[in-house]
Amino acid sequence: MCTIDRYPFSCYGENVVILLQNFAIIGLLWRYNKTPLPEIVGVGSLFVVMTLLQFQLPQAFWPWLIYFNIPCMVGAYVPQIVQNARAGSTGQLALLPPGLRCAGCMMRIFTTLTQIGKDWALLVNFGLSLVLNAILVLQGWVYRDATARENAQDQQQATTST
């Protein structure tokens, strides 16, 4: 079995696949936007240096790399949650992705507990992601009538203006 430290491949393999997908998407964007080669080399070099540096950290600091994800999650989800609350509607927000992320977080919490144990860095990240996505799903359910009215009005305005 392929392990890194005490983590089996099933705990991090998905992230490897997502990383490869992100490389492909970034490559396609660079090609589409005709990004200059020096910019590509600079960003690629920075990624390689940061990756190599993280493996030079003492193992005691590895959980902190995971904790650094928390501000990114808060910065990504909280503005959307606040906007939904202020508008009293979820607007064009699709609820399937946050619903699927909730399911994924629950599975990750379960696999972390059963395969690794109480790795608090992972559990805090997955738990926070579960809570933030669940809030978006809950908002979708609470604001469903207002969102439907708003979307119907937008659709009607779009058809009358053409």
Side-chain angles (χ1 to χ4, degrees), residues 23-44:
F23 284 156
I25 292 168
I26 290 168
L28 290 170
L29 286 171
W30 281 343
R31 182 180 173 112
Y32 178 77
N33 291 323
K34 297 180 173 73
T35 303
L37 185 60
E39 185 176 333
I40 294 170
V41 170
V43 170

Short mmCIF file of all heavy atoms in Angstrom, two decimals, residues 23-44:
data_model
loop_
_atom_site.label_atom_id
_atom_site.label_comp_id
_atom_site.label_asym_id
_atom_site.label_seq_id
_atom_site.Cartn_x
_atom_site.Cartn_y
_atom_site.Cartn_z
N PHE A 23 -3.92 21.28 -12.87
CA PHE A 23 -2.83 21.55 -13.82
C PHE A 23 -3.37 21.60 -15.24
O PHE A 23 -2.99 22.47 -16.03
CB PHE A 23 -1.74 20.48 -13.72
CG PHE A 23 -0.84 20.61 -12.53
CD1 PHE A 23 -0.16 19.50 -12.05
CD2 PHE A 23 -0.64 21.82 -11.89
CE1 PHE A 23 0.68 19.60 -10.96
CE2 PHE A 23 0.20 21.93 -10.80
CZ PHE A 23 0.87 20.81 -10.33
N ALA A 24 -4.23 20.65 -15.59
CA ALA A 24 -4.79 20.62 -16.94
C ALA A 24 -5.63 21.86 -17.21
O ALA A 24 -5.52 22.47 -18.29
CB ALA A 24 -5.63 19.35 -17.12
N ILE A 25 -6.46 22.26 -16.26
CA ILE A 25 -7.30 23.45 -16.43
C ILE A 25 -6.45 24.71 -16.58
O ILE A 25 -6.69 25.54 -17.47
CB ILE A 25 -8.29 23.59 -15.26
CG1 ILE A 25 -9.32 22.45 -15.31
CG2 ILE A 25 -8.97 24.95 -15.27
CD1 ILE A 25 -10.16 22.33 -14.05
N ILE A 26 -5.43 24.83 -15.73
CA ILE A 26 -4.55 26.00 -15.82
C ILE A 26 -3.83 26.02 -17.16
O ILE A 26 -3.70 27.06 -17.81
CB ILE A 26 -3.56 26.02 -14.63
CG1 ILE A 26 -4.31 26.33 -13.34
CG2 ILE A 26 -2.45 27.04 -14.86
CD1 ILE A 26 -3.50 26.09 -12.08
N GLY A 27 -3.36 24.86 -17.59
CA GLY A 27 -2.70 24.77 -18.89
C GLY A 27 -3.62 25.20 -20.03
O GLY A 27 -3.20 25.93 -20.94
N LEU A 28 -4.86 24.75 -19.98
CA LEU A 28 -5.82 25.14 -21.01
C LEU A 28 -6.10 26.64 -20.97
O LEU A 28 -6.21 27.29 -22.02
CB LEU A 28 -7.12 24.35 -20.85
CG LEU A 28 -7.03 22.86 -21.20
CD1 LEU A 28 -8.30 22.15 -20.76
CD2 LEU A 28 -6.77 22.68 -22.68
N LEU A 29 -6.23 27.20 -19.76
CA LEU A 29 -6.46 28.64 -19.63
C LEU A 29 -5.27 29.44 -20.17
O LEU A 29 -5.44 30.45 -20.85
CB LEU A 29 -6.73 29.02 -18.17
CG LEU A 29 -8.11 28.64 -17.64
CD1 LEU A 29 -8.18 28.85 -16.13
CD2 LEU A 29 -9.19 29.47 -18.33
N TRP A 30 -4.06 28.98 -19.83
CA TRP A 30 -2.88 29.67 -20.34
C TRP A 30 -2.84 29.63 -21.86
O TRP A 30 -2.50 30.60 -22.51
CB TRP A 30 -1.61 29.06 -19.76
CG TRP A 30 -1.30 29.51 -18.35
CD1 TRP A 30 -1.82 30.58 -17.70
CD2 TRP A 30 -0.40 28.89 -17.44
NE1 TRP A 30 -1.29 30.67 -16.44
CE2 TRP A 30 -0.41 29.64 -16.25
CE3 TRP A 30 0.42 27.78 -17.51
CZ2 TRP A 30 0.37 29.32 -15.15
CZ3 TRP A 30 1.19 27.46 -16.41
CH2 TRP A 30 1.16 28.23 -15.24
N ARG A 31 -3.19 28.48 -22.42
CA ARG A 31 -3.16 28.36 -23.88
C ARG A 31 -4.24 29.24 -24.51
O ARG A 31 -4.00 29.96 -25.48
CB ARG A 31 -3.36 26.90 -24.29
CG ARG A 31 -3.29 26.70 -25.77
CD ARG A 31 -3.47 25.26 -26.14
NE ARG A 31 -3.55 25.12 -27.57
CZ ARG A 31 -2.65 24.54 -28.31
NH1 ARG A 31 -1.58 24.01 -27.75
NH2 ARG A 31 -2.81 24.45 -29.61
N TYR A 32 -5.44 29.21 -23.93
CA TYR A 32 -6.55 30.01 -24.47
C TYR A 32 -6.24 31.50 -24.39
O TYR A 32 -6.55 32.25 -25.32
CB TYR A 32 -7.83 29.68 -23.70
CG TYR A 32 -9.02 30.49 -24.14
CD1 TYR A 32 -9.70 30.18 -25.31
CD2 TYR A 32 -9.46 31.57 -23.39
CE1 TYR A 32 -10.79 30.93 -25.72
CE2 TYR A 32 -10.54 32.33 -23.79
CZ TYR A 32 -11.21 32.00 -24.95
OH TYR A 32 -12.28 32.75 -25.36
N ASN A 33 -5.67 31.92 -23.26
CA ASN A 33 -5.37 33.35 -23.06
C ASN A 33 -4.03 33.76 -23.66
O ASN A 33 -3.65 34.92 -23.51
CB ASN A 33 -5.39 33.68 -21.56
CG ASN A 33 -6.78 33.59 -20.99
OD1 ASN A 33 -7.75 33.94 -21.64
ND2 ASN A 33 -6.88 33.10 -19.76
N LYS A 34 -3.33 32.80 -24.26
CA LYS A 34 -2.02 33.07 -24.85
C LYS A 34 -1.08 33.73 -23.83
O LYS A 34 -0.46 34.77 -24.10
CB LYS A 34 -2.17 33.92 -26.11
CG LYS A 34 -2.95 33.22 -27.20
CD LYS A 34 -3.07 34.09 -28.44
CE LYS A 34 -3.69 33.37 -29.60
NZ LYS A 34 -5.07 33.11 -29.55
N THR A 35 -1.00 33.10 -22.66
CA THR A 35 -0.15 33.60 -21.59
C THR A 35 1.31 33.54 -22.02
O THR A 35 1.76 32.52 -22.55
CB THR A 35 -0.35 32.75 -20.31
OG1 THR A 35 -1.74 32.78 -19.97
CG2 THR A 35 0.45 33.30 -19.14
N PRO A 36 2.06 34.62 -21.80
CA PRO A 36 3.48 34.64 -22.21
C PRO A 36 4.29 33.57 -21.46
O PRO A 36 4.05 33.29 -20.28
CB PRO A 36 3.96 36.04 -21.82
CG PRO A 36 2.73 36.84 -21.56
CD PRO A 36 1.64 35.88 -21.22
N LEU A 37 5.25 33.00 -22.15
CA LEU A 37 6.09 31.94 -21.58
C LEU A 37 6.80 32.37 -20.30
O LEU A 37 6.85 31.59 -19.34
CB LEU A 37 7.10 31.45 -22.63
CG LEU A 37 7.96 30.27 -22.20
CD1 LEU A 37 7.09 29.06 -21.86
CD2 LEU A 37 8.96 29.92 -23.29
N PRO A 38 7.34 33.59 -20.21
CA PRO A 38 8.00 33.98 -18.95
C PRO A 38 7.05 33.93 -17.74
O PRO A 38 7.46 33.55 -16.64
CB PRO A 38 8.48 35.41 -19.20
CG PRO A 38 8.62 35.50 -20.68
CD PRO A 38 7.54 34.62 -21.24
N GLU A 39 5.79 34.28 -17.95
CA GLU A 39 4.82 34.21 -16.85
C GLU A 39 4.56 32.76 -16.45
O GLU A 39 4.49 32.44 -15.26
CB GLU A 39 3.52 34.89 -17.27
CG GLU A 39 2.49 34.97 -16.15
CD GLU A 39 1.25 35.72 -16.58
OE1 GLU A 39 1.33 36.58 -17.48
OE2 GLU A 39 0.19 35.43 -16.00
N ILE A 40 4.43 31.89 -17.42
CA ILE A 40 4.22 30.47 -17.14
C ILE A 40 5.40 29.89 -16.38
O ILE A 40 5.24 29.18 -15.38
CB ILE A 40 3.96 29.69 -18.45
CG1 ILE A 40 2.65 30.14 -19.09
CG2 ILE A 40 3.96 28.18 -18.21
CD1 ILE A 40 2.41 29.62 -20.49
N VAL A 41 6.61 30.21 -16.83
CA VAL A 41 7.82 29.71 -16.17
C VAL A 41 7.91 30.26 -14.75
O VAL A 41 8.25 29.54 -13.81
CB VAL A 41 9.08 30.07 -16.99
CG1 VAL A 41 10.35 29.78 -16.21
CG2 VAL A 41 9.07 29.33 -18.31
N GLY A 42 7.57 31.52 -14.56
CA GLY A 42 7.61 32.12 -13.22
C GLY A 42 6.64 31.46 -12.26
O GLY A 42 7.02 31.11 -11.14
N VAL A 43 5.41 31.29 -12.70
CA VAL A 43 4.40 30.66 -11.83
C VAL A 43 4.76 29.20 -11.57
O VAL A 43 4.68 28.72 -10.44
CB VAL A 43 2.99 30.78 -12.47
CG1 VAL A 43 1.98 29.94 -11.71
CG2 VAL A 43 2.56 32.23 -12.50
N GLY A 44 5.21 28.50 -12.61
CA GLY A 44 5.61 27.10 -12.44
C GLY A 44 6.78 26.96 -11.49
O GLY A 44 6.80 26.06 -10.64
#
